[in-house]
């Protein structure tokens, strides 16, 4: 039962985070980028702190270890990841699909960081092959133009790459710093401190509240990102991180582009192309390669294979 629950949560997280790239692009029409990310986590942090106060006996971090964990989450998983991502997505060359594909590098980067900080985390040759196949599928889904890879948007794409690296390193370090802290407490305080860091960065970049255009669409984008993609999404992420480890949970970055494409089709009336279908199939094949042992064990348990 726990396997099915984990799979359901995994797919739900991929759907929420995949559609978040579309919401980010929609909101950037009304908000300066880093300020947009900061306000998103102002709201999400307050919501999650209230939730933590409700479900946790002591919702305040205690001791150096817990505050270190909060600091890692605030700097890497919240501030660095979202500041780089939001700034990168302001460039017209970085579409929602391109951003989600670049963030799809997180599982590969996580493997590299895990080898340094978590010796027990390993991938077999077939597992590495699965990651590469999934990444190839994400690339097909984005349909990049090889002639323009080093042209327009190069700096912006590199910023999104830095976002993926920040998230991968943060996920590994939070696992390595296992101090027994409640997920809700860690998430809430990381969001609040991460938002504070981004407000400072926004001021340094000259961003101002006066530049925000408050419309219904702006509020919908902000609300979706703050409540669903941030509050709910990170709660699911950290629960799965604890159960699955950083390599497996970051495979969500491979599945998210599928939902980014589907949400674009449903909400923005974007067509589903042959590249979308081919990319989806490659991503599925990559995921099956990585999870082949768990799938084989489940089939044996059910008597489907011997």
């Amino acid at each position: 039962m726990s396997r099915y629950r984990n799979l359901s949560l995994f797919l739900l997280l991929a759907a929420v985070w995949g559609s978040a790239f579309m919401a980010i692009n929609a909101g950037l029409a009304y908000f300066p980028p880093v300020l947009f990310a900061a306000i998103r986590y102002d709201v999400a942090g307050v919501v999650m702190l209230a939730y933590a106060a409700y479900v946790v006996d002591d919702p305040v971090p205690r001791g150096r270890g817990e505050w270190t964990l909060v600091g890692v989450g605030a700097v890497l998983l919240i501030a660095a990841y979202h500041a780089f991502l939001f700034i990168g997505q302001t460039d017209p060359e970085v579409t929602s699909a391109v951003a989600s594909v670049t963030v799809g590098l997180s599982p590969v980067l996580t493997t590299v960081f895990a080898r340094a900080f978590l010796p027990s985390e390993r991938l077999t040759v077939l597992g590495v092959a699965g990651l590469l196949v999934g990444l190839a599928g994400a690339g097909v889904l984005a349909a990049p133009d090889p002639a323009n890879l080093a042209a327009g948007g190069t700096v912006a794409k590199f910023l999104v790459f830095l976002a993926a690296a920040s998230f991968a390193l943060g996920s590994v370090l939070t696992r390595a710093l296992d101090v027994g802290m409640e997920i809700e407490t860690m998430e809430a305080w990381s969001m609040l401190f991460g938002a504070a860091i981004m407000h400072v960065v926004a001021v340094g970049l000259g961003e101002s509240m006066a530049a925000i255009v408050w419309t219904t669409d702006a509020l919908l984008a902000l609300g979706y990102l703050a409540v669903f993609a941030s509050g709910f999404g990170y709660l699911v992420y950290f629960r799965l991180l604890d159960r699955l480890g950083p390599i497996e949970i970051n495979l969500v970055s491979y599945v998210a582009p599928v939902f980014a494409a589907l949400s674009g089709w449903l909400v923005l009336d974007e067509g589903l192309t042959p590249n979308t279908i081919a990319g989806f199939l490659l991503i599925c094949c990559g995921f099956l390669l990585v999870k082949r042992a768990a799938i084989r064990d489940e089939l044996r348990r059910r008597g489907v294979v011997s």
Side-chain angles (χ1 to χ4, degrees):
M1 182 62 70
S2 63
R3 291 182 179 179
Y4 298 121
R5 182 170 61 249
N6 289 345
L7 177 59
S8 298
L9 288 174
F10 179 92
L11 292 175
L12 182 59
L13 180 61
V16 171
W17 280 2
S19 57
F21 289 100
M22 179 187 62
I24 291 171
N25 269 350
L28 285 173
Y30 308 100
F31 295 89
V34 179
L35 188 57
F36 184 18
I39 295 173
R40 166 185 177 178
Y41 282 99
D42 288 334
V43 177
V46 170
V47 171
M48 287 309 304
L49 186 59
Y51 179 72
Y54 176 74
V55 300
V56 177
D57 292 334
D58 185 7
V60 179
R62 305 292 179 183
R64 180 180 300 177
E66 292 191 356
W67 281 111
T68 299
L69 184 61
V70 168
V72 169
V75 173
L76 293 175
L77 296 177
I78 303 299
Y81 172 68
H82 290 91
F84 287 135
L85 177 64
F86 278 51
I87 294 174
Q89 283 197 248
T90 60
D91 192 305
E93 295 292 330
V94 182
T95 63
S96 298
V98 169
S100 64
V101 167
T102 307
V103 170
L105 289 168
S106 289
V108 175
L109 297 172
T110 297
T111 304
V112 175
F113 291 131
R115 288 181 179 276
F117 296 100
L118 297 173
S120 62
E121 295 284 348
R122 290 290 184 268
L123 281 177
T124 64
V125 174
L126 280 178
V128 173
L131 287 171
L132 294 176
V133 170
L135 186 61
V140 170
L141 186 64
D145 182 359
N148 288 326
L149 290 180
T154 300
V155 173
K157 292 172 185 176
F158 180 68
L159 290 176
V160 179
F161 171 81
L162 290 180
S166 299
F167 196 88
L169 178 59
S171 65
V172 170
L173 290 180
T174 54
R175 177 81 169 185
L177 289 170
D178 186 15
V179 295
M181 187 178 186
E182 295 290 346
I183 294 172
E184 295 82 0
T185 301
M186 183 268 187
E187 182 178 354
W189 288 97
S190 293
M191 287 180 175
L192 290 173
F193 281 105
I197 293 170
M198 287 189 287
H199 275 293
V200 173
V201 173
V203 171
L205 293 174
E207 297 182 359
S208 169
M209 293 289 290
I212 300 175
V213 180
W214 294 103
T215 66
T216 300
D217 288 343
L219 291 173
L220 286 174
L222 178 62
Y224 181 80
L225 291 171
V227 177
F228 291 99
S230 300
F232 175 76
Y234 272 98
L235 183 62
V236 172
Y237 171 81
F238 283 115
R239 290 194 181 280
L240 290 178
L241 176 63
D242 184 60
R243 297 175 187 174
L244 303 177
I247 293 177
E248 291 190 23
I249 182 53
N250 275 303
L251 288 171
V252 73
S253 299
Y254 276 173
V255 184
V258 176
F259 290 98
L262 289 175
S263 62
W265 173 56
L266 292 172
V267 179
L268 303 178
D269 199 27
E270 298 173 347
L272 291 175
T273 66
N275 280 30
T276 302
I277 299 172
F280 173 76
L281 292 175
L282 282 171
I283 290 170
C284 287
C285 289
F287 183 76
L288 290 174
L289 277 173
V290 174
K291 297 294 293 180
R292 69 196 181 284
I295 294 171
R296 183 177 63 246
D297 291 343
E298 180 66 16
L299 293 175
R300 285 176 177 172
R301 188 180 70 82
R302 290 179 169 274
V304 177
V305 296
S306 58

